[in-house]
Each structure stands twice: as C-alpha cells, then as structure tokens.
Amino acid sequence: VQLQASGGGLVQAGGSRSFSCAVSGRTSSTYNMGWFRQGPGKERNLVAAITKSTGKTYYARSVKGRFTISRDNAKNTVYLQMNGLKTEDTAMYYCAASLRGLGAFLQGYGMDYWGKGTLVTVSS
C-alpha cells in the first residue's frame, strides 16, 4: 500500500490550500485516514482524521473550523482543505492510514502506512 500526498507549496496568511492523498495497492475504504503535521522544531501531531465507514471526523483544536478532511472512496483519495491559513500552520504534512481506531490517531501510534510529507509554508 502506498500513500501519495500532493498539494504543498507557498501560500500567504489568510489563504487556502488543498491536499490530496491517493491510496494505491488497496482500497482506501479499508482504512481510517488522517493528516498529521510537523512544524519546525516540533513534534508530529494529528491535524485531522476520518473514519472509514461512517466518515466521522476529528480535528485538532488549532485547526477546527478552518480545515476540512474528507474522503472519496471511489477515487481512493483523502483530502484536506485548509482555509484561513496562519503562519503557525507552516509544517510538513503527512497522510496516514490505519486499521486502528481514532485513539491510535490521537496518540500518533500504530499507523499502518505513511505518505511522504508535503510542505506548506505560510507567509505573513
């Protein structure tokens, strides 16, 4: 199974950016999916997650109301729409897939697959 993330780049504060994470090798509907990020000098933390069956979502407090995670199982793709970007959103963003539940995502433990990071830089 491979996860291919795309959508990084440079964006001005207040702007928007959209990521996609394409899953290959197995249907994405098998997995709960999430986006993590790691800022400069910081630990990697969960940004958002979405369950495989009901599409229930979770957001970190720092992004709630600004970011939206969604999935299209027919396209084997998970998305992260980021609006109202702030300089503190600058980070390497990673998508991840897991058979484990939301608790694993919250702990950042037990992800079955990781995509390569995609960098977003938010300028002031």
Side-chain angles (χ1 to χ4, degrees):
V1 175
Q2 290 188 330
L3 308 182
Q4 182 65 49
S6 59
L10 178 65
V11 61
Q12 287 191 329
S16 298
R17 200 79 181 179
S18 179
F19 288 150
S20 63
C21 177
V23 180
S24 61
R26 200 164 181 181
T27 56
S28 63
S29 60
T30 302
Y31 300 99
N32 296 313
M33 302 290 297
W35 289 94
F36 291 78
R37 71 182 181 188
Q38 186 168 18
K42 297 180 181 179
E43 296 183 347
R44 186 163 58 186
N45 290 309
L46 178 66
V47 174
I50 186 167
T51 61
K52 60 184 178 181
S53 53
T54 64
K56 180 179 178 180
T57 57
Y58 165 85
Y59 296 95
R61 185 177 299 178
S62 59
V63 307
K64 199 168 187 177
R66 299 188 296 122
F67 290 14
T68 302
I69 187 172
S70 61
R71 66 191 300 160
D72 186 338
N73 289 335
K75 295 183 178 180
N76 282 338
T77 303
V78 177
Y79 306 94
L80 185 68
Q81 176 66 41
M82 304 184 293
N83 299 326
L85 283 163
K86 305 175 181 180
T87 55
E88 51 263 43
D89 294 319
T90 294
M92 190 74 79
Y93 285 74
Y94 302 86
C95 62
S98 181
L99 294 173
R100 294 172 178 82
L102 180 59
F105 284 86
L106 291 172
Q107 297 175 27
Y109 173 79
M111 298 298 103
D112 294 296
Y113 303 101
W114 289 94
K116 291 183 180 179
T118 184
L119 177 65
V120 164
T121 302
V122 184
S123 63
S124 57

